Amino acid sequence: ALAAAFIKAAKRADITDFHFHDLRHMAITRLAEKLPNLIELSAVSGHKSLAMLKRYYHPNVEQLAQKLG
């Protein structure tokens, strides 16, 4: 039922090539803005290894450059 509702909402919003799983990528990337410590982020997201977390975390290049000065 959830998958069907997601597909229906995406069609209604005229969004193409977007999958339910993409929400996980977006959520983890947004969480990383609040929890910059990757150990804490992995604890919240449920990832047991940083290697798996890296699959979902996509940092913003501009924000990383700002952190470097």
Side-chain angles (χ1 to χ4, degrees), residues 42-58:
S42 66
V44 170
S45 68
H47 290 97
K48 293 184 170 121
S49 72
L50 294 180
M52 284 302 295
L53 179 62
K54 283 174 50 177
R55 288 181 156 186
Y56 294 96
Y57 171 51
H58 304 290

Side-chain angles (χ1 to χ4, degrees), residues 4-32:
F6 179 81
I7 292 168
K8 185 177 178 181
K11 282 183 182 178
R12 200 170 44 229
D14 197 28
I15 298 172
T16 58
D17 196 31
F18 189 70
H19 308 281
F20 187 77
H21 191 75
D22 295 334
L23 295 174
R24 185 171 180 142
H25 291 267
M26 186 181 300
I28 290 173
T29 299
R30 296 282 165 86
L31 270 173

